[in-house]
Amino acid sequence: EYVFNTTLTEYISLAALSESKVIIAYQDYGSSQYGRAIIADISGTEITFGSEYVFNTTLTEYISLAALSESKVIIAYQDYGSSQYGRAIIADISGTEITFGSEYVFNTANTGITSIQAFSQSRFFISYQDKASNNNYGTAVVGSVPEPLPAEAPSGAEEGEPEPEPEPEPEPEPQPEPETTIIDGELIRNSSASDMAKFDIYIVKLINDKKFKRLILSPHVFESYEHLDWNDVREVDEETMNSYVFSDLARAIGDLKVYKLGASGDTGTKQWLNITAEEFESQGYDSDAIYEINSTDRGAYVIGADITA
């Protein structure tokens, strides 16, 4: 047995490039859950590996790859860190080195179990679970990789004459600034944040001039709210994110008990504020910061010690 990744490894897919070379793509769970790829060279029963290369710098799931040729593969995956869209990327291989092109979206919704197969060096077929926009149906799409056009000699150039200078490209017109207004109940995330914070999604609460944000604990909790949609998550910068006051206060629908919530990854603890209204205010709590949550959300937190005066 030969180890190709020394941390928890999931969503593994591979393709043979030749009789002695394989490419492996996987989720490197132990390293920010990034999508990575590595080349394996085989000699007899011995395997040697090249360096690991990252093809997606966010949480990556449902990885599948297919070889287009001995030096080119296509990788399809769920880009969990970017609205869980289905994306694909081309990898070029030279020896044990891998370089990647741009990412392309093949499904603009939450994309589940993914499988890809190549027809030829330029055509492929992706099947997947369309979790958000098509009722979890099995869905498929055909894609193509355009062949590069051969270089043509400039018209009118005689042999031995210098080629004419290319005309300068026109300056691109300035694009309008994106709309930054965020309304009550919207979902926000800063994917440029450090470590696992880049995956945190918050729901906004606006009361008069007060601006709150509350962390949604996990994907399971997110999907328990039928009105929430992964496609509605807004990307914001650090300054915008920090302009909202973090709220850790919540009560379940139909329950008067207010809890203080604490998160640790996809789990958390809830502590009942077993105090009077006067004690609530004297200890600096703000009733406007209390979010109303459903029973699934409340149940995702284990019970901790009551908070008393």
Side-chain angles (χ1 to χ4, degrees):
E1 292 179 287
Y2 294 85
V3 174
F4 64 87
N5 186 42
T6 56
T7 65
L8 177 60
T9 311
E10 295 188 342
Y11 300 107
I12 302 166
S13 181
L14 59 83
L17 301 171
S18 69
E19 292 184 356
S20 60
K21 190 185 295 290
V22 168
I23 182 170
I24 309 170
Y26 52 94
Q27 181 202 76
D28 191 353
Y29 194 99
S31 182
S32 301
Q33 298 171 285
Y34 285 0
R36 296 181 185 266
I38 193 170
I39 297 296
D41 284 312
I42 297 107
S43 177
T45 59
E46 294 184 358
I47 308 173
T48 56
F49 298 102
S51 300
E52 295 178 288
Y53 293 86
V54 175
F55 63 85
N56 188 42
T57 56
T58 65
L59 195 160
T60 310
E61 296 187 344
Y62 303 117
I63 299 166
S64 180
L65 64 79
L68 298 169
S69 69
E70 290 188 2
S71 60
K72 191 184 295 289
V73 302
I74 182 167
I75 308 173
Y77 53 94
Q78 181 205 69
D79 192 352
Y80 195 103
S82 185
S83 301
Q84 298 177 296
Y85 284 2
R87 295 182 186 267
I89 194 169
I90 297 294
D92 287 307
I93 297 104
S94 177
T96 59
E97 294 184 358
I98 309 174
T99 56
F100 299 102
S102 300
E103 294 179 290
Y104 294 85
V105 175
F106 63 83
N107 185 39
T108 56
N110 186 347
T111 305
I113 302 161
T114 301
S115 181
I116 188 168
Q117 179 66 49
F119 293 141
S120 65
Q121 293 188 17
S122 60
R123 286 175 63 77
F124 55 89
F125 183 92
I126 305 175
S127 61
Y128 53 93
Q129 179 193 35
D130 195 343
K131 299 179 71 173
S133 64
N134 202 15
N135 299 318
N136 289 307
Y137 287 0
T139 310
V141 64
V142 173
S144 62
V145 182
E147 296 288 349
L149 297 174
E152 295 183 2
S155 60
E158 297 293 335
E159 186 176 351
E161 291 183 0
E163 295 182 0
E165 291 291 328
E167 293 184 7
E169 294 187 3
E171 291 290 331
E173 294 184 5
Q175 297 296 316
E177 291 294 322
E179 176 62 49
T180 57
T181 302
I182 295 173
I183 63 175
D184 184 58
E186 279 205 283
L187 304 166
I188 58 174
R189 173 181 56 195
N190 177 15
S191 58
S192 299
S194 59
D195 301 325
M196 298 301 289
K198 68 181 69 175
F199 305 123
D200 290 342
I201 296 175
Y202 296 86
I203 187 165
V204 167
K205 182 180 183 182
L206 305 178
I207 296 183
N208 298 322
D209 59 346
K210 297 178 183 179
K211 299 164 56 178
F212 300 103
K213 64 184 177 186
R214 186 181 81 84
L215 177 68
I216 299 177
L217 188 63
S218 67
H220 173 66
V221 169
F222 187 106
E223 293 181 351
S224 72
Y225 291 95
E226 295 183 357
H227 69 287
L228 298 185
D229 190 325
W230 295 103
N231 297 323
D232 294 335
V233 179
R234 292 272 300 273
E235 291 289 345
V236 300
D237 57 24
E238 183 177 5
E239 182 179 359
T240 302
M241 181 65 76
N242 292 340
S243 69
Y244 291 83
V245 177
F246 177 77
S247 172
D248 55 3
L249 302 179
R251 67 176 184 84
I253 299 170
D255 187 354
L256 296 178
K257 286 185 177 180
V258 176
Y259 292 91
K260 184 173 184 177
L261 308 177
S264 178
D266 284 354
T267 61
T269 302
K270 60 176 179 280
Q271 296 176 277
W272 177 33
L273 291 174
N274 188 9
I275 55 180
T276 66
E278 291 76 14
E279 290 167 340
F280 181 91
E281 292 183 0
S282 67
Q283 293 184 32
Y285 295 111
D286 185 349
S287 59
D288 287 339
I290 300 172
Y291 279 72
E292 190 174 67
I293 62 178
N294 65 23
S295 57
T296 299
D297 200 342
R298 181 183 60 183
Y301 295 84
V302 298
I303 297 176
D306 290 357
I307 296 175
T308 57

